[in-house]
Amino acid sequence: MLVLLCGVLGFLAGVYVRAAAGAFEADPPDTRAEARRALAALRRWPVPARVPVVELLTGAVCALVAWRAAPPYLPGLLFAGLLGTLLAVVDWRTFRLPDVLTLPAYPILALLLIPTGELLRALLGALALGLLYGVLWFVRPAAMGLGDVKLAGLIGLATAALGWQSWAVAAVGGQVLGACYAVGLLLARKADRSTEFPFGPFMLLGGLAAICLIQ
């Protein structure tokens, strides 16, 4: 029943996720105005899309998290799932991971993870994965943005709370999924070695896999 309830609530939240994601642009002239538009979208009474892809995706993520997460972890991981879905949609559309979404999420997620008793490990995981992606960005800044580095810290925060095995799956999973997508584009001749694509959704899929597979 909890899984079904979270799935239904996730679908309803997905209406707001889609509305907020639509406020972000690839190259906004004013990021503060962009953030205000996103907040304004949340205050309206949005209607599900005719083809509710984002809504169904959000519902599925919330249901998966509820299926695998123990009660102390559920609030934090549900928040991470909702935010992750929003970030994935925004990044896929705009090739951006806005600071207005990632940075405030750190203290919120940390507070929600306090009941787990694993906040210290979660903070260490955030630092470790953030540093790892920071090194990757420093080595190849053309292949990865600073938004990915900030997202990595959030993924490390959420998954390390579950254990270092989950953290490792998230760390490796994002890289593997992104590489598989790139190879698929090359094999389909829809891209070449210089083609860029948003990496955030694959990092988030790796984090979701860690939550679902390692418990």
Side-chain angles (χ1 to χ4, degrees), residues 60-160:
V61 169
C62 290
L64 285 171
V65 169
W67 171 53
R68 296 300 293 164
Y73 296 89
L74 189 58
L77 294 183
L78 280 176
F79 169 76
L82 288 171
L83 177 69
T85 306
L86 174 58
L87 286 168
V89 174
V90 171
D91 196 20
W92 194 261
R93 288 181 59 252
T94 68
F95 283 62
R96 291 176 58 226
L97 291 164
D99 288 348
V100 71
L101 296 177
T102 54
L103 297 184
Y106 276 92
I108 296 172
L109 182 55
L111 285 172
L112 291 173
L113 290 175
I114 289 176
T116 67
E118 301 293 350
L119 181 58
L120 178 58
R121 186 173 65 198
L123 292 173
L124 290 174
L127 179 62
L129 197 57
L131 285 174
L132 175 61
Y133 271 80
V135 170
L136 294 175
W137 169 79
F138 183 78
V139 173
R140 291 193 63 194
M144 183 175 296
L146 276 174
D148 297 319
V149 178
K150 297 165 191 174
L151 175 61
L154 282 173
I155 294 173
L157 185 66
T159 56

Side-chain angles (χ1 to χ4, degrees), residues 35-55:
R36 288 194 293 269
R37 287 197 303 272
L39 285 174
L42 296 178
R43 297 191 190 104
R44 300 192 192 105
W45 185 262
V47 178
R50 187 169 298 178
V51 182
V53 176
V54 175
E55 290 86 339

